[in-house]
Amino acid sequence: MCGIVGAVAQRNVVPILLEGLRRLEYRGYDSAGLVTINGGLKRVRSVGRVESLTTDCAAQQVHGHLGIAHTRWATHGAPSEANAHPHVSGGLAVVHNGIIENHETLRKQLKAAGFVFTSETDTEVIVHLLEHHYRQSKDLLAATQAAVAELQGAYAIGVVSEDAPHRLICARKGSPLLIGLGIEENFIASDVSALLPVTQRVIYLEEGDVADIGLLTVAVYDAAGRKTDRDIHVSELSADMAELGNYRHFMQKEIHEQPRALADTLLIAVAQDHIQPEWFGFDAADILNQVNAVTFLACGTSFHAAKVATYWLEEIAGIPARAEIASEYRYRTSVPNPDALVVTISQSGETADTLAALNHAKSLGQDKTLTICNVPESALTRASRLKFLTRAGPEIGVASTKAFTTQLAGLFLLTLVLAKLRGRLSVEQEKAHLAALRHLPTLAQQVLALEPQVEAWSQRFANKHHALFLGRGVHYPIALEGALKLKEISYIHAEAYPAGELKHGPLALVDEDMPVITIAPNDQLIEKLKSNLQEVRARGGELYVFADGDVHIEESEFVHVIKLPGGHNGALSPILHTLPLQLLSYHAALQKGTDVDKPRNLAKSVTVE
């Protein structure tokens, strides 16, 4: 949510800023704007898409060698031009991601000092506070350091002044921000994808850092104001990895990238003949040998991955496991277990609720921590002792697809490692699991070949307003994920239940207008699941069943069956059954005519609480 881009160069930075914003559109936003310094301060803001801002900039012939830009996802104040960033005051301009928790107190103080507010945002207090300090110090760096010292909450900010045409200041606390290094030009962004067309060399700022950036120099100061060195990283991503290619939407592209993403994520394991704790860090064996339970902290789709992992861990590794919704965990009284492994799961590694939950767990004395994440050098990976990087590549669509299945792949590897350390894997089982993982990308490709059949089903969803998803056992969290995908992008209200719970309430919802989507693997619960399906048909419900190839369910006018290739795929079945649910949601959304990649009211990386 929200995006920041900034640049200082010897060329016109407006195209760089606009292209950076375009590459951040996936994060979710409702307005956009930029400021350039060119003999003065020029601001352009627009409600709606970056395309509108681009048109306005061209019409006004905006130009400059220094600038900052922003896409806003509304928190304080409705989407409007007045609330859009950048905010300006006394020749200064600011863009901001995050939430300033003490903005009301600061607003009162600044109003009393004579500052006039023109927006409803918490961000506007930052720019007035900056001007207040700038009047005293006459130095942009000193003013920024003094201003951020008064802020409570989370922020990533970019600051420019018409008095300093080649100077860009930035700061971060609780929200991601990085510096891009060029040749006689430098940049800032909230996500490396925004800068890939101009550089792959980046510096990730730490908590409390403030940076002073010029054409040739970058100086970083830590939270105590001391000048410090931060490592330079070369991004593994390339500019074309975030391009749409021949697909209609990024979500469709990312669904079809899953065989490759799974292969890349599992390469560290399948290239070897033995399960190794070092997949999770050089000292993973020492840490994992000490744990007696696992607690997962995650939000949204990542929480569903955690739920699947609890089934795997208890069945295969024989270790107690529970999944906690990160946004709830730190606000309830829990019983800490210092010997539990605390696992955080996040696509971005910057999810504010998950990061706060991790810090809370550590404050309770739970210091055995692991993050499963798609972004190197993210806040969560830096805050955890162990880490596992999923190799999904950039995920642009707001509704997570390849990030989810690669998270499951990483969690299954964790399950195998813990099972081996606890003496619960025979040599034959170890070899069988590794062989199954090697074959997984091929199976995923075969499942995705079912897309035409799934697309045909989706036409029946064009006039639907509600749907029910059913699964049993380890496939219940996959039903939850299927329901989430459908509601996220098609706006069809969807719920998921364990199929055995139908008779305990949800059956009251079933009628001819309520499609019931069911996951039917050929496992030990298949006969009980068939009985649940009969309960649906007896109430006039219409069934859409994704079944293993060797499951016999008779099709009829109101019972539709798509069979996945082959028979039951054991513990890896949840990963494969996820894929057709993603395709169903995607094509149902097309039938509904919604904005698939940028669904209303949602953001990709939720960096505020």
Side-chain angles (χ1 to χ4, degrees):
M1 52 176 28
C2 299
I4 287 174
V5 187
V8 53
Q10 298 188 65
R11 53 174 164 159
N12 182 21
V13 300
V14 173
I16 298 171
L17 299 178
L18 292 171
E19 175 62 17
L21 292 186
R22 186 183 71 79
R23 288 171 174 269
L24 294 179
E25 285 189 295
Y26 73 92
R27 294 172 70 96
Y29 70 103
D30 43 55
S31 60
L34 62 77
V35 154
T36 58
I37 305 297
N38 185 13
L41 187 153
K42 176 67 175 178
R43 177 173 62 170
V44 184
R45 297 183 292 178
S46 174
V47 175
R49 297 303 183 197
V50 171
E51 183 180 356
S52 298
L53 179 67
T54 303
T55 300
D56 292 343
C57 287
Q60 298 180 40
Q61 298 182 325
V62 181
H63 183 279
H65 293 172
L66 172 66
I68 50 176
H70 190 266
T71 50
R72 176 177 184 258
W73 190 80
T75 54
H76 296 73
S80 68
E81 184 174 328
N83 288 331
H85 299 209
H87 290 286
V88 301
S89 182
L92 304 175
V94 169
V95 290
H96 164 232
N97 288 354
I99 289 180
I100 304 304
E101 295 174 355
N102 61 333
H103 72 97
E104 291 181 350
T105 300
L106 291 172
R107 183 182 290 257
K108 290 178 183 178
Q109 294 172 357
L110 290 163
K111 280 184 174 181
F115 287 94
V116 177
F117 284 76
T118 60
S119 79
E120 305 167 87
T121 68
D122 56 331
T123 300
E124 194 177 358
V125 304
I126 302 175
V127 72
H128 292 316
L129 192 60
L130 274 164
E131 185 190 354
H132 170 70
H133 288 291
Y134 188 67
R135 289 174 182 174
Q136 300 172 33
S137 67
K138 300 300 181 183
D139 180 77
L140 199 56
L141 174 63
T144 303
Q145 290 172 316
V148 298
E150 296 188 46
L151 302 180
Q152 297 174 13
Y155 57 80
I157 63 172
V159 183
V160 294
S161 168
E162 61 185 8
D163 294 338
H166 295 102
R167 196 177 189 190
L168 172 59
I169 307 295
C170 65
R172 69 147 294 190
K173 178 185 175 184
S175 287
L177 195 66
L178 56 92
I179 299 169
L181 304 176
I183 300 173
E184 297 187 357
E185 59 184 14
N186 292 302
F187 315 91
I188 64 169
S190 49
D191 190 316
V192 70
S193 62
L195 301 182
L196 291 177
V198 290
T199 187
Q200 289 178 280
R201 298 174 66 239
V202 297
I203 295 172
Y204 293 94
L205 296 179
E206 300 285 349
E207 283 287 280
D209 280 355
V210 179
D212 189 352
I213 303 165
L215 290 168
L216 302 174
T217 60
V218 171
V220 179
Y221 301 85
D222 65 18
R226 297 181 297 256
K227 193 171 183 180
T228 187
D229 291 325
R230 299 293 183 216
D231 293 339
I232 297 174
H233 301 266
V234 179
S235 174
E236 298 176 4
L237 306 179
S238 61
D240 59 355
M241 292 180 74
E243 296 295 337
L244 187 57
N246 295 323
Y247 293 94
R248 291 183 64 180
H249 299 91
F250 279 106
M251 183 177 182
Q252 185 186 34
K253 177 189 178 190
E254 288 155 11
I255 289 172
H256 282 275
E257 286 178 337
Q258 286 175 108
R260 189 274 308 160
L262 287 166
D264 289 349
T265 297
L266 292 168
L267 182 61
I268 191 175
V270 300
Q272 303 173 23
D273 295 327
H274 301 286
I275 293 164
Q276 299 182 22
E278 288 73 23
W279 298 338
F280 295 88
F282 73 92
D283 57 347
D286 291 339
I287 295 172
L288 297 180
N289 264 317
Q290 299 175 44
V291 304
N292 62 11
V294 179
T295 297
F296 292 102
L297 305 174
C299 299
T301 286
S302 297
F303 174 72
H304 297 155
K307 291 285 289 183
V308 172
T310 62
Y311 286 86
W312 284 339
L313 283 165
E314 297 204 339
E315 179 178 350
I316 299 172
I319 189 169
R322 75 179 198 269
E324 296 265 6
I325 296 173
S327 58
E328 292 289 324
Y329 171 71
R330 70 186 176 116
Y331 294 113
R332 72 173 185 84
T333 301
S334 59
V335 180
N337 176 2
D339 293 321
L341 177 68
V342 176
V343 181
T344 51
I345 311 171
S346 169
Q347 188 282 137
S348 67
E350 304 287 350
T351 308
D353 288 316
T354 308
L355 186 57
L358 173 60
N359 290 333
H360 177 66
K362 289 162 70 175
S363 75
L364 297 176
Q366 301 180 114
D367 64 348
K368 299 174 180 64
T369 55
L370 161 68
T371 282
I372 294 177
C373 178
N374 192 40
V375 180
E377 301 301 324
S378 65
L380 278 171
T381 59
R382 293 198 302 270
S384 300
R385 294 176 65 183
L386 305 177
K387 68 179 179 181
F388 182 87
L389 291 177
T390 57
R391 303 287 178 176
E395 190 180 60
I396 307 301
V398 166
S400 182
T401 52
K402 61 180 181 175
F404 176 67
T405 49
T406 54
Q407 285 170 355
L408 290 176
L411 289 165
F412 191 70
L413 294 182
L414 176 64
T415 299
L416 297 182
V417 167
L418 286 170
K420 185 173 181 178
L421 290 174
R422 294 169 67 84
R424 291 179 61 94
L425 274 189
S426 66
V427 173
E428 292 75 18
Q429 288 172 323
E430 182 176 5
K431 290 180 178 179
H433 282 306
L434 288 174
L437 288 170
R438 291 187 186 100
H439 193 46
L440 181 62
T442 300
L443 290 175
Q445 192 69 61
Q446 293 172 0
V447 174
L448 291 173
L450 298 171
E451 185 168 14
Q453 295 171 248
V454 178
E455 183 177 7
W457 273 12
S458 70
Q459 297 171 14
R460 299 171 176 265
F461 285 72
N463 63 347
K464 300 299 183 184
H465 300 285
H466 307 278
L468 187 63
F469 285 72
L470 300 178
R472 296 204 70 148
V474 70
H475 293 84
Y476 165 54
I478 301 303
L480 287 169
E481 175 62 12
L484 176 61
K485 285 292 154 286
L486 190 66
K487 71 181 77 169
E488 278 182 314
I489 62 169
S490 74
Y491 314 147
I492 296 172
H493 169 248
E495 293 188 64
Y497 277 88
E501 281 293 290
L502 268 177
K503 63 182 72 68
H504 298 292
L507 203 55
L509 296 171
V510 172
D511 60 19
E512 63 276 7
D513 294 322
M514 170 77 84
V516 179
I517 300 98
T518 306
I519 305 166
N522 193 15
D523 59 14
Q524 70 273 20
L525 294 171
I526 186 61
E527 294 304 323
K528 292 187 179 297
L529 179 67
K530 288 181 180 179
S531 298
N532 301 140
L533 301 188
Q534 291 300 320
E535 294 169 354
V536 172
R537 283 299 305 127
R539 275 76 180 177
E542 189 166 4
L543 287 162
Y544 296 83
V545 183
F546 292 106
D548 284 346
D550 52 359
V551 169
H552 179 70
I553 296 177
E554 188 173 344
E555 291 195 71
S556 67
E557 182 181 0
F558 299 103
V559 179
H560 316 284
V561 180
I562 290 178
K563 291 194 174 184
L564 275 61
H568 184 50
N569 287 287
L572 297 178
S573 175
I575 298 176
L576 296 169
H577 275 276
T578 295
L579 307 182
L581 297 180
Q582 295 172 346
L583 290 169
L584 180 63
S585 298
Y586 171 72
H587 286 288
L590 292 186
Q591 295 294 327
K592 287 282 191 178
T594 62
D595 190 342
V596 173
D597 287 333
K598 297 183 281 292
R600 67 190 183 198
N601 304 333
L602 299 181
K604 181 65 178 176
S605 180
V606 185
T607 55
V608 297
E609 185 179 354

